[in-house]
Amino acid sequence: MNSLVETMVDAAWLDITKKMERISGRIGDSFPHVSVNGRYDDNELDWWTNGFWPGILWMVYEETRNPAYRQIAESCENKLDRPLHDFEPLHHDVGFMWSLSSVASYKLTGNALSKRRALTAASHLAGRFNSKGNFIRAWNGTGKEGWAIIDCLMNLPLLFWASETTGDPRFMHIAQAHADTVMREFLLEDGSVHHVVVFDPHTGLRVGALGGQGYSAFSAWSRGAAWAVYGLTLAYGYTQNQRYLDKAIEVSRYVLKNLPADRVPPWDFKASEDQIWAKDSSAAACLASGLLEIAKYSQGEIAEYCHRSACDIMQSLYSNYFAHDSAEEGLLKKATVSFPDNRHIEVPVIYGDYFFIEALLKLKGRQTLFW
């Protein structure tokens, strides 16, 4: 890591710690998703992003040992018991929710209750597996019984962790089956990925693809590509199965080849000329963290290229997208939740902040992963 990157890392970390001191008390044990007029919102307990704020708190706690951050994170985790036990509203994103809250807590504190919560969530996730199509169902609702989405790759670590923790391989078998289906059905020849693939829930046969939060069914939603890069690399980390890392590198090549000069992607690489203006800084932050994982598991030119690319992305995010304005609670500006739905375009989002901090701490030498 060169001196310019080291300077950026130190400056960004100082800014993050100052902002956390300012906003953590105000946000408290609520569940932010997007920043509206400089202030993070609060969401229903079963919302898919509800693990990212406690995840941020746990990361900063591990670095600073400030007990206030641990207390807030634990309070968030306690609140999540309600959707965990209500069960019916839950979806495949229990991985996002309990990996970054309960698995994080267990890894850092050894809390036995956190372990039980995470294993319960893993059982819920395993229960969404369709054995005919070898996929994990994404969302609830009539007509969506056969829908699977690229995001779920980031939920699979909860299953891998559950097998590693209990010694029971059934969770791992489900995670690998879903990952194999993704590689077969989601990845396009040019290295881009579908957001949504639809299967017949009774036969398991593929029906088709949907655009989802991308421009079209065959476009290249940038956050979906970042999910694929990071999620497949995490699958490799647990299994040492080379095909997962190879595919992660393949998708990363597509993304890096198509990044604009500032290294932060549009919301969809194949969006029309009148829509491609909208950025997604959260995709860039997730991509940077995923590239650092590829670099960790690779050697030679691939490792050097992925590490250098991650550093370039992080430097651009800090220089061009970081919200230095003390009035803004979010860290990264210009993340886009869903352009097709005209929902939260170019605003700070909590998962963009999470991945920025995670990648920054990797550059600082942090080894703990909550995934």
Side-chain angles (χ1 to χ4, degrees):
M1 190 165 65
N2 63 43
S3 59
L4 288 176
V5 175
E6 289 179 353
T7 299
M8 179 274 296
V9 169
D10 291 341
W13 179 244
L14 180 61
D15 286 341
I16 288 166
T17 55
K18 287 180 178 178
K19 184 160 287 198
M20 285 296 293
E21 289 172 0
R22 182 177 67 83
I23 69 173
S24 58
R26 207 288 300 170
I27 296 176
D29 59 358
S30 64
F31 294 99
H33 177 203
V34 299
S35 176
V36 180
N37 297 322
R39 188 180 176 96
Y40 263 121
D41 61 358
D42 183 15
N43 288 269
E44 296 295 325
L45 290 175
D46 58 4
W47 189 240
W48 76 274
T49 63
N50 286 357
F52 287 102
W53 174 238
I56 287 173
L57 291 162
W58 280 120
M59 285 192 294
V60 180
Y61 167 76
E62 185 181 23
E63 290 294 309
T64 66
R65 292 297 163 175
N66 184 333
Y69 300 141
R70 173 175 176 171
Q71 290 167 7
I72 299 170
E74 289 175 337
S75 184
C76 288
E77 186 186 3
N78 290 338
K79 282 188 170 183
L80 290 176
D81 278 350
R82 184 170 135 195
L84 185 64
H85 297 303
D86 283 351
F87 174 71
E88 287 184 334
L90 290 181
H91 35 72
H92 74 143
D93 284 327
V94 296
F96 281 121
M97 295 172 71
W98 278 280
S99 289
L100 305 184
S101 58
S102 294
V103 173
S105 172
Y106 178 62
K107 286 185 174 183
L108 295 184
T109 72
N111 186 339
L113 181 56
S114 295
K115 175 184 176 182
R116 188 184 312 155
R117 288 162 166 155
L119 290 174
T120 300
S123 293
H124 288 338
L125 183 57
R128 300 184 71 85
F129 183 68
N130 184 307
S131 59
K132 284 289 187 180
N134 283 328
F135 67 89
I136 294 172
R137 178 184 178 179
W139 298 313
N140 302 325
T142 303
K144 298 179 180 178
E145 293 85 357
W147 289 25
I149 68 174
I150 195 68
D151 316 40
C152 195
L153 283 174
M154 295 298 296
N155 292 313
L156 300 185
L158 180 65
L159 297 176
F160 286 122
W161 169 86
S163 278
E164 186 179 79
T165 301
T166 64
D168 185 340
R170 62 195 171 97
F171 299 102
M172 178 188 65
H173 294 329
I174 290 172
Q176 287 187 285
H178 181 89
D180 291 345
T181 297
V182 167
M183 291 199 302
R184 185 180 66 251
E185 303 291 357
F186 279 74
L187 274 60
L188 301 172
E189 289 187 5
D190 64 359
S192 60
V193 300
H194 295 297
H195 182 196
V196 183
V197 172
V198 181
F199 302 89
D200 184 313
H202 301 287
T203 66
L205 296 176
R206 174 181 170 143
V207 175
L210 301 173
Q213 289 171 262
Y215 178 69
S216 73
F218 291 89
S219 62
W221 181 48
S222 61
R223 194 162 70 250
W227 295 144
V229 169
Y230 201 170
L232 287 169
T233 307
L234 290 170
Y236 170 80
Y238 275 103
T239 66
Q240 302 300 296
N241 193 320
Q242 188 64 35
R243 68 179 184 271
Y244 297 141
L245 188 61
D246 290 343
K247 283 297 182 181
I249 293 170
E250 181 182 325
V251 178
S252 73
R253 284 176 175 152
Y254 171 83
V255 176
L256 293 172
K257 179 179 68 175
N258 288 282
L259 285 180
D262 72 352
R263 317 312 290 161
V264 174
W267 66 282
D268 193 306
F269 290 108
K270 298 176 184 177
S272 60
E273 290 185 10
D274 63 328
Q275 295 184 7
I276 204 167
W277 58 268
K279 291 282 194 175
D280 188 358
S281 61
S282 72
C286 180
L287 175 65
S289 200
L291 288 170
L292 290 172
E293 288 300 296
I294 292 178
K296 182 173 74 176
Y297 293 123
S298 303
Q299 298 177 338
E301 292 183 3
I302 291 176
E304 292 174 8
Y305 180 58
C306 288
H307 190 275
R308 184 174 67 252
S309 297
C311 289
D312 290 344
I313 292 168
M314 290 295 288
Q315 284 186 296
S316 179
L317 286 172
Y318 183 63
S319 298
N320 304 312
Y321 294 83
F322 195 89
H324 296 279
D325 180 4
S326 61
E328 170 59 63
E329 291 186 339
L331 297 181
L332 294 183
K333 299 178 288 185
K334 296 192 176 183
T336 295
V337 172
S338 179
F339 193 97
D341 298 323
N342 194 29
R343 185 159 53 93
H344 307 308
I345 297 171
E346 292 201 331
V347 298
V349 298
I350 197 65
Y351 43 86
D353 292 357
Y354 176 90
F355 287 115
F356 182 82
I357 296 173
E358 184 184 68
L360 192 78
L361 290 177
K362 288 178 183 180
L363 293 174
K364 281 174 62 68
R366 179 175 182 264
Q367 298 299 315
T368 307
L369 265 185
F370 301 151
W371 304 104

